[in-house]
């Protein structure tokens, strides 16, 4: 177009016809303009595939970028999920580890506690077993010692001289009623001992009298079998009481009462089989001031009985050990006087009754109308 314009201008400069000049210039302009559009059109057609390819490349790049971004996002998500899973796995492993440690510690503590309890139980069982074995050993040793000390004998009931009886009632500390095998009631007076009075009609209850009766009752009630034993000499006294030694099983109740200070040795006549043993038991209580020996002057050691009341005034006596005087109250008109029971027993070992010429009330301390029994 510029070329045609230049040619038009050139034509003008050569003084050509102006009309012709403008016609040529118009044709040149139109021709140039047409060529311009043709050129532009061709250029667009040529460049259009290139633009489509570029666009396709751009689209591909965009898709690729989007795919890459999606893949990156997915990879990030997967990485995050993997990290989360790894974290959860680690937490799970840690939790399992802690749980395992706690369980192991708990099991260990339980095991230690169980072992401790088992050890304590085993120790207690061992102690009990040792104690049982010790007791058994002691019992065996005692049984062996008894077997060595004493020959094997038949039961007490079959011993010669011992008669089985059953308890009927306890009167006082030295008097008991029993029933023999035939069903007969026997009133017993225990030999060689004397206990304080509790049932005497003319005397108050004396110290340790009730204790002696209670102890005798306890011994007799606790025994499986009672036995009586007679000594040489008379079997009964003037009250028809059987003069015996009494046993609760194989225990002498005489020795128990004497050793505990609830009785004294007394009324020593011809029956003296166990006098030395009884004296030893009495001395044991006396040395320790047990029972009746705990009261100074209570036991009448110069005679019989106990000093529970003021002694009666003794009548005047002659220097002769025995004299005869006439007394209208005596049937035979004679009366014998002795200074004390010791002197009287030299003549009358069993004592005398109230109707005897030698009887004196002062010598009948238990007021049973029998002096120095």
């Amino acid at each position: 177009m510029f070329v045609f314009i230049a040619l038009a201008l050139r034509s003008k400069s050569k003084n050509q016809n102006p009309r012709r000049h403008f016609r040529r210039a118009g044709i040149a302009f139109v021709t140039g303009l047409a060529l311009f559009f043709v050129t532009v059109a061709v250029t667009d057609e040529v460049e259009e595939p290139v633009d489509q390819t570029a666009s396709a490349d751009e689209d591909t790049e965009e898709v690729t970028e989007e795919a890459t971004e999606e893949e990156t996002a997915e990879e990030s998500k997967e990485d995050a999920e993997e990290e989360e899973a790894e974290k959860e796995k680690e937490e799970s492993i840690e939790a399992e580890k802690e749980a395992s440690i706690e369980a192991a510690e708990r099991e260990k503590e339980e095991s230690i506690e169980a072992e401790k309890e088992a050890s304590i139980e085993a120790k207690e069982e061992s102690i009990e077993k040792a104690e049982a074995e010790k007791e058994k050993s002691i019992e065996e040793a005692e049984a062996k010692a008894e077997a060595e000390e004493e020959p094997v004998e038949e039961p007490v009931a079959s011993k010669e001289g011992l008669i089985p009886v059953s308890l009927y009632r306890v009167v006082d500390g030295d008097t008991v009623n029993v029933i023999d095998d035939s069903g007969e009631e026997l009133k017993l007076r225990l030999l060689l001992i004397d206990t304080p009075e509790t049932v005497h009609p003319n005397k108050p209850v004396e110290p340790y009298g009730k204790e002696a009766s209670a102890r005798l009752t306890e011994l007799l009630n606790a025994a499986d079998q009672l036995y009586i034993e007679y000594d040489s000499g008379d079997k009964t006294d003037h009250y028809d009481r059987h003069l015996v030694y009494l046993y609760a099983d194989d225990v002498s109740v005489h020795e128990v009462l004497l050793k505990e200070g609830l009785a004294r040795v007394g009324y020593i006549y011809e029956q003296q089989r166990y006098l030395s043993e009884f004296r030893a038991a009495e001395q044991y209580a006396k040395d320790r001031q047990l029972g009746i020996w705990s009261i100074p002057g209570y036991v009448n050691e110069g005679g019989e009985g106990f000093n529970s009341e003021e002694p009666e005034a003794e009548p005047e006596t002659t220097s002769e050990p025995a004299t005869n005087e006439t007394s209208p109250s005596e049937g035979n008109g004679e009366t014998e006087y002795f200074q004390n029971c010791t002197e009287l027993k030299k003549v009358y070992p069993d004592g005398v009754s109230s109707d005897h010429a030698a009887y004196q009330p002062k010598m009948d301390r238990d007021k049973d109308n029998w002096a120095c029994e």
Side-chain angles (χ1 to χ4, degrees):
M1 183 178 66
F2 288 108
V3 171
F4 284 112
I5 292 173
L7 288 177
L9 290 175
R10 184 179 177 182
S11 297
K12 182 179 179 182
S13 63
K14 288 180 175 184
N15 294 319
Q16 295 179 353
N17 186 1
R19 187 180 293 269
R20 189 177 179 182
H21 167 72
F22 281 107
R23 188 174 55 247
R24 289 180 176 179
I27 295 169
F29 177 77
V30 172
T31 304
L33 184 61
L35 290 172
F36 175 74
F37 281 109
V38 170
T39 303
V40 171
V42 171
T43 302
D44 290 338
E45 289 178 359
V46 172
E47 291 179 354
E48 185 176 358
V50 175
D51 293 337
Q52 290 178 353
T53 304
S55 178
D57 292 338
E58 289 176 359
D59 292 339
T60 303
E61 288 177 358
E62 289 178 0
V63 171
T64 303
E65 289 177 358
E66 290 178 358
T68 302
E69 289 178 357
E70 290 178 357
E71 289 177 357
T72 303
E74 289 178 357
E75 288 177 356
S76 299
K77 185 177 180 181
E78 289 176 356
D79 292 340
E81 290 177 353
E82 288 179 358
E83 289 178 359
E84 186 69 21
E86 187 70 22
K87 185 177 180 181
E88 290 179 356
K89 184 178 180 181
E90 290 178 356
E91 290 178 353
S92 176
I93 293 171
E94 188 67 23
E96 290 178 357
K97 184 177 180 181
E98 291 178 357
S100 176
I101 293 171
E102 290 178 356
E105 290 179 352
R106 185 168 56 253
E107 289 178 359
K108 184 177 180 181
E109 290 177 357
E110 291 176 354
S111 176
I112 292 171
E113 188 68 22
E115 288 178 358
K116 186 177 180 181
E117 291 178 356
S119 176
I120 292 172
E121 290 178 357
K123 187 176 180 181
E124 290 177 352
E125 290 178 358
S126 177
I127 292 172
E128 291 178 357
K129 185 177 180 181
E131 290 179 352
E133 290 178 353
K134 184 178 179 181
E135 291 178 359
K136 184 178 180 181
S137 177
I138 291 172
E139 291 176 356
E140 290 177 352
E142 290 178 351
K144 184 177 180 181
E146 290 178 359
E148 290 176 354
E149 291 177 359
E150 299 180 1
V152 178
E153 298 179 352
E154 296 180 357
V156 176
S158 64
K159 286 184 177 180
E160 184 178 356
L162 295 186
I163 302 171
V165 294
S166 57
L167 178 64
Y168 181 70
R169 72 185 183 98
V170 174
V171 179
D172 59 19
D174 53 31
T175 308
V176 182
N177 290 7
V178 298
I179 304 296
D180 64 12
D181 288 342
S182 64
E184 182 182 356
E185 181 181 351
L186 306 178
K187 187 175 183 180
L188 310 181
R189 176 62 172 87
L190 307 188
L191 285 168
L192 298 178
I193 67 168
D194 185 24
T195 62
E197 295 292 345
T198 57
V199 295
H200 198 287
N202 300 322
K203 288 186 178 183
V205 175
E206 296 178 327
Y208 291 100
K210 290 184 177 180
E211 289 82 350
S213 297
R215 183 64 171 129
L216 180 61
T217 303
E218 179 185 8
L219 290 169
L220 300 182
N221 284 330
D224 294 328
Q225 182 62 60
L226 305 182
Y227 303 94
I228 60 174
E229 179 184 11
Y230 291 97
D231 202 341
S232 58
D234 294 336
K235 305 300 181 185
T236 59
D237 62 9
H238 55 284
Y239 294 115
D240 290 329
R241 297 181 298 186
H242 290 254
L243 304 175
V244 298
Y245 302 105
L246 179 61
Y247 299 89
D249 291 329
D250 57 350
V251 176
S252 169
V253 299
H254 304 241
E255 290 193 55
V256 174
L257 295 175
L258 289 167
K259 195 170 185 178
E260 295 180 3
L262 299 176
R264 58 163 295 176
V265 175
Y267 302 107
I268 305 170
Y269 303 128
E270 56 185 326
Q271 300 93 341
Q272 300 181 15
R273 181 176 300 167
Y274 302 110
L275 180 59
S276 61
E277 290 87 342
F278 292 177
R279 287 288 192 195
E282 179 187 59
Q283 191 63 42
Y284 176 89
K286 188 175 181 180
D287 292 342
R288 291 161 179 75
Q289 296 185 345
L290 302 177
I292 59 176
W293 303 104
S294 64
I295 304 174
Y298 178 48
V299 181
N300 182 20
E301 297 188 64
E304 301 291 351
F306 302 87
N307 296 319
S308 58
E309 58 184 19
E310 293 296 327
E312 298 180 6
E314 295 185 0
E316 295 181 1
T317 58
T318 62
S319 57
E320 299 292 334
T323 59
N324 292 332
E325 294 183 2
T326 303
S327 175
S329 62
E330 299 295 339
N332 56 11
E334 294 182 357
T335 301
E336 295 182 63
Y337 289 96
F338 295 91
Q339 189 169 358
N340 50 48
C341 284
T342 302
E343 296 296 329
L344 186 144
K345 287 180 180 179
K346 292 179 181 178
V347 181
Y348 304 104
D350 294 333
V352 295
S353 64
S354 59
D355 58 357
H356 193 279
Y359 176 84
Q360 296 183 56
K362 71 172 185 176
M363 297 181 182
D364 185 8
R365 298 190 62 83
D366 57 4
K367 308 302 181 183
D368 59 354
N369 295 321
W370 193 276
C372 301
E373 68 265 38

